[in-house]
Amino acid sequence: MSKYYFEIEVLPDSKKINQVQFLNDDEKIESKKIINNINYKIDIESETKAILLVLKNKHLLYPNSRHNFCFKASIFLKEQGHDIAGTIGIMTDVLENTFKHHREMIDKSTTQEFALSELARIVKNTYDKNYIWGQTSKEIKIYKDELKEVLNINTNGKSLHLKKLALSTLIQSKRYASQNGIFYMPYSTMTKMGNTGSRGRLLQYLLYLEEIGFLEVVSRNEQTEGTYKKKANRYKVNISQEDGDEFIVLDLNSLEKYDFKDYIVALFTIDEAKEILTKSQFYDLGLAKLYKL
């Protein structure tokens, strides 16, 4: 893509370019934003499909693609909720099968022993540095109206943890959802974001969020082909992701530092919080202390 941006006008009765209209500086900046965004989404989608295709076939598909696959697949599998051992196991199967049946895909000077040791190093580095698959550079904002919609969920006697999980799914959607709004979210990711570690309780909350229409479960309990392991469920958040002047910007590398009440205090006045929450919820969250009553 050239660094120069321009529009070409072709008259209906002519096959030749009749006029070139160069964009002004503001139009160039806007065009660049649009082009970069389009390229980015296509790139992420194509990379994901390429990784899934290799995992499905259980061998590398292109010569000299070993290092590229190991790096990107380790990030992808980490985000699907696999631990280090699980990720290494899945990718070891791919490399061993490639050495056995598709040796031409790996450089002749590379031994299987070296490739597997390199794989372990790459995976460990991915987890240690917490590399993130997908929208790594995207700034994530939670808007006041979005949080208000989460807080207005009728818990039907259930605890505030239900609303906290709803917020977690919204954040995950903003980070990883594809263009159709669908995203993966393993139970381990929910727990890492400060939700309960009880899978039974999480399932109970998810089913309720699905029942009231906040969350759509696109797929659940799908088994990974050729294994006994199940894929992470796929979801879609069914609320309008808002825009506006009142929002909180999230540090993607330290999401665990945020507590539910931090979002409330950052975006709502004390009167607004009291209006949305019940009295018991307000005090259970410790908001009285945070608002310095």
Side-chain angles (χ1 to χ4, degrees):
M1 179 70 65
S2 169
K3 66 179 179 179
Y4 300 105
Y5 303 95
F6 53 87
E7 292 178 342
I8 300 174
E9 180 183 351
V10 181
L11 296 181
D13 297 329
S14 173
K15 295 181 180 180
K16 295 183 179 180
I17 297 175
N18 290 278
Q19 184 177 357
V20 176
Q21 298 180 340
F22 288 91
L23 305 182
N24 60 40
D25 289 343
D26 289 339
E27 289 170 330
K28 288 179 184 178
I29 293 172
E30 186 61 27
S31 296
K32 188 172 184 178
K33 287 180 181 178
I34 294 171
I35 292 169
N36 286 345
N37 188 51
I38 292 173
N39 287 341
Y40 177 77
K41 287 188 176 297
I42 292 174
D43 190 50
I44 291 302
E45 289 291 326
S46 62
E47 292 284 6
T48 301
K49 288 179 180 178
I51 288 173
L52 290 173
L53 194 58
V54 172
L55 294 176
K56 180 180 180 180
N57 285 276
K58 297 184 180 179
H59 65 81
L60 298 178
L61 301 176
Y62 301 100
N64 302 316
S65 60
R66 174 181 61 86
H67 192 278
N68 184 59
F69 165 74
C70 287
F71 176 65
K72 292 178 180 177
S74 66
I75 300 172
F76 178 77
L77 290 169
K78 177 179 74 70
E79 291 303 315
Q80 299 309 304
H82 296 281
D83 57 18
I84 292 181
T87 294
I88 290 177
I90 292 171
M91 296 172 67
T92 294
D93 288 344
V94 171
L95 292 185
E96 288 182 342
N97 196 45
T98 302
F99 270 100
K100 186 174 182 179
H101 300 291
H102 303 274
R103 187 63 180 82
E104 71 279 5
M105 296 297 169
I106 298 177
D107 190 279
K108 291 181 180 180
S109 64
T110 302
T111 65
Q112 180 171 317
E113 182 182 7
F114 173 79
L116 294 180
S117 65
E118 184 74 355
L119 167 63
R121 182 191 66 80
I122 291 172
V123 172
K124 184 177 184 303
N125 191 54
T126 293
Y127 280 75
D128 287 345
K129 295 188 177 180
N130 194 29
Y131 291 137
I132 298 172
W133 177 256
Q135 300 171 347
T136 56
S137 61
K138 183 177 179 181
E139 188 178 70
I140 301 298
K141 298 176 181 177
I142 298 297
Y143 290 90
K144 184 174 182 176
D145 286 344
E146 292 174 332
L147 182 57
K148 186 173 183 180
E149 191 158 350
V150 169
L151 293 175
N152 278 328
I153 292 175
N154 183 354
T155 60
N156 195 26
K158 296 178 174 61
S159 70
L160 275 169
H161 295 298
L162 173 70
K163 296 183 179 183
K164 185 171 185 176
L165 179 60
L167 179 59
S168 296
T169 62
L170 174 62
I171 294 171
Q172 188 77 351
S173 174
K174 285 175 174 282
R175 294 181 73 187
Y176 299 117
S178 58
Q179 289 178 313
N180 58 12
I182 296 172
F183 60 96
Y184 286 95
M185 193 171 188
Y187 286 119
S188 58
T189 297
M190 297 176 194
T191 301
K192 287 176 184 176
M193 294 178 74
N195 297 286
T196 176
S198 167
R199 292 200 170 200
R201 191 65 58 84
L202 287 173
L203 177 59
Q204 178 186 354
Y205 294 155
L206 289 168
L207 290 174
Y208 183 75
L209 291 175
E210 181 182 23
E211 180 184 333
I212 64 174
F214 178 89
L215 193 68
E216 177 184 346
V217 182
V218 178
S219 66
R220 61 161 56 96
N221 296 327
E222 288 187 353
Q223 188 167 311
T224 303
E225 187 177 348
T227 73
Y228 293 103
K229 293 185 177 181
K230 292 181 178 179
K231 299 178 182 177
N233 291 347
R234 294 191 299 158
Y235 304 95
K236 183 176 182 179
V237 172
N238 290 325
I239 69 169
S240 299
Q241 296 194 16
E242 303 289 342
D243 203 344
D245 297 328
E246 297 180 272
F247 56 83
I248 179 174
V249 179
L250 306 184
D251 180 356
L252 298 185
N253 293 318
S254 304
L255 283 179
E256 67 279 358
K257 77 180 182 181
Y258 296 100
D259 192 84
F260 191 42
K261 58 181 176 289
D262 296 327
Y263 296 95
I264 298 173
V265 173
L267 292 173
F268 293 97
T269 66
I270 183 172
D271 291 334
E272 290 172 330
K274 284 185 173 181
E275 183 178 348
I276 296 172
L277 299 168
T278 65
K279 185 175 181 179
S280 61
Q281 290 174 342
F282 183 89
Y283 285 98
D284 286 346
L285 284 170
L287 292 178
K289 182 177 180 180
L290 291 176
Y291 281 113
K292 298 180 179 179
L293 285 182

